Amino acid sequence: MNMDVAVIGGGISGLATAYNLKSRGRSVVVLERQAHPGGNAFSQRMGGFLMEHGPSTVNAAAAIAVETSRALGLDDQRCDLGEGVRRRYMVAEGRLAGISTGPLGFLVSGYLSPLARLRMLAEFAFPHQLGGEEETALAFCSRRFGREFAERVMDPLVAGIYAGRASELSVLPGALTRRLGGSVRTSIAVRCVRREADGVRIDAGKDGVFGARAVVMATQPHVAAQLLNGLNDTAAAGEIEAPPLAVVFVGFKRNQVDHPLDGLGFLTAEVEGRKINGAQFSSTMFPGRAPEGYVSVSGYFGGARAPDLARLADEDLIQLAKNEFSDLIGARGQPVVARVRHWPVGPPQYGIRHVERTACLRDTPLRQPGLFLTGNYFDGPSVSACLGMAGETAIAVDRYVAGCRELPEKVSLAVG
């Protein structure tokens, strides 16, 4: 099969890139290892409950999300955050501290000490940049806003949860897959990719060899590095850390939970010493997450803080979640439903030298013509960021197939 473009990976990034290219008149094939496309965006219904195994929201303020939703005819399936969302919660000394969602929330609440709030107000007196040196998020916020703000606000936010608009996240990859039709091939395990004089050859073992003029690697970074073994240009992909994460979804009768659950959920600073990174009050955020008279909550364990927790057995993680929810939201008794989703490779970490690594990867087509990379490790793990990066990648690939060997300026620059 000789196509204009082969896309390896059928998650949001790969599907959106292929959809953009097909809209430009290019012949495309998407090769996905799993039996179903969609990647991390996977929804599951369980007796009236709805669990989002991966991302649960899309940022409605992002223009790319609005445009994609409209193009796919999904506007009537979007829904705003529930009316019950009134606060944000942070864990403080073993209890949930409610904080207004307004811009002055952290200043007027008692979550931070008076000294820390005064230090925040002195932010203007400190330089925005530090002599061109690259800083971690924690170091930057410590310098600008004070150590307490960095440890008790920025740390949990970096490890935290995106919020916005959605109904059921699996409808976005589902709609893209339908638009792509037979171009999406599932249960195809790519073994290696090699460049040849007339394009790119993709070895899929028993499923044959696929030929294309260009290839887009829309896989997790470590997979891209393995498939392109031997190309020094892509070695940086293998250096991007993505520690495991586990999501524990539980449903209770409403009278089993004391807390009003009147927020998006809660986040936990590492200094609190708890095992849970944070949680979403799923049934408060959106309708349809739990039956009438029931509530649902999703807890997040593992990640960079404690990767070994994410590897625990399901029953151990459910027990951990029950213990944490008992302490923090007053959940009593056995949940009526409990499910665990293990992500052996979790969200990518954006540490020191990340900009340098992604700049190298963005410019790969300049050194390896016909080879392009895209994914959530460039501009962020949110659905909107993936859609934006997919659009940029599609422009660059389309230009290459048309005979232009120069990357568009926005793609070749490091903006991640």
Side-chain angles (χ1 to χ4, degrees), residues 44-51 249 287-292 294 296 337:
Q44 180 183 10
R45 291 198 175 274
M46 302 167 288
F49 290 89
L50 173 66
M51 175 184 180
F249 178 92
R289 264 44 178 188
E292 187 70 27
Y294 293 80
S296 59
V337 63

Side-chain angles (χ1 to χ4, degrees), residues 209-256:
V209 175
F210 296 82
R213 298 169 66 186
V215 64
V216 178
M217 301 294 300
T219 65
Q220 295 164 329
H222 75 284
V223 175
Q226 291 169 1
L227 292 178
L228 300 169
N229 186 30
L231 293 180
N232 292 331
D233 289 319
T234 60
E239 298 174 4
I240 297 174
E241 295 184 4
L245 184 73
V247 184
V248 182
F249 178 92
V250 292
F252 293 97
K253 292 181 179 178
R254 186 63 188 89
N255 60 14
Q256 288 182 269

Side-chain angles (χ1 to χ4, degrees), residues 125-378:
F126 294 85
H128 286 218
Q129 295 183 342
L130 190 63
E133 293 181 22
E134 189 175 358
E135 296 178 277
T136 65
L138 186 67
F140 173 83
C141 287
S142 294
R143 180 171 56 81
R144 294 291 304 282
F145 301 99
R147 185 74 183 181
E148 185 175 338
F149 179 90
E151 290 183 346
R152 302 197 67 84
V153 177
M154 184 51 59
D155 168 69
L157 287 177
V158 167
I161 303 159
Y162 286 88
R165 244 178 175 176
S167 59
E168 185 173 327
L169 254 292
S170 60
V171 305
L172 187 53
L176 288 168
T177 301
R178 287 191 295 274
R179 292 296 183 94
L180 289 165
S183 298
V184 179
R185 303 281 302 276
T186 56
S187 300
I188 302 279
V190 174
R191 301 168 75 175
C192 69
V193 177
R194 63 181 184 273
R195 289 182 58 245
E196 296 185 351
D198 59 344
V200 181
R201 291 292 178 271
I202 300 165
D203 181 359
K206 63 180 178 58
D207 294 301
V209 175
F210 296 82
R213 298 169 66 186
V215 64
V216 178
M217 301 294 300
T219 65
Q220 295 164 329
H222 75 284
V223 175
Q226 291 169 1
L227 292 178
L228 300 169
N229 186 30
L231 293 180
N232 292 331
D233 289 319
T234 60
E239 298 174 4
I240 297 174
E241 295 184 4
L245 184 73
V247 184
V248 182
F249 178 92
V250 292
F252 293 97
K253 292 181 179 178
R254 186 63 188 89
N255 60 14
Q256 288 182 269
V257 179
D258 294 334
H259 195 277
L261 305 180
D262 56 344
L264 298 172
F266 64 82
L267 296 172
T268 307
E270 190 170 10
V271 294
E272 286 288 324
R274 303 201 73 96
K275 296 185 182 299
I276 192 168
N277 294 343
Q280 285 185 333
F281 300 158
S282 306
S283 54
T284 304
M285 292 174 64
F286 298 111
R289 264 44 178 188
E292 187 70 27
Y294 293 80
V295 295
S296 59
V297 185
S298 297
Y300 296 81
F301 297 86
R305 288 183 183 175
D308 287 343
L309 284 182
R311 302 185 182 101
L312 293 177
D314 287 7
E315 57 269 24
D316 294 328
L317 282 164
I318 291 171
Q319 186 60 52
L320 273 181
K322 287 167 55 180
N323 293 342
E324 295 284 1
F325 292 147
S326 174
D327 287 347
L328 296 172
I329 62 174
R332 303 181 302 277
Q334 293 297 319
V336 296
V337 63
R339 293 288 188 277
V340 177
R341 177 69 185 211
H342 293 270
W343 293 109
V345 179
Q349 302 297 299
Y350 304 88
I352 294 293
R353 293 189 62 236
H354 186 77
V355 171
E356 178 185 338
R357 291 189 184 104
T358 54
C360 171
L361 296 175
R362 288 176 193 272
D363 289 340
T364 295
L366 297 177
R367 298 177 297 275
Q368 302 290 341
L371 174 61
F372 299 81
L373 291 90
T374 193
N376 66 357
Y377 53 96
F378 282 92

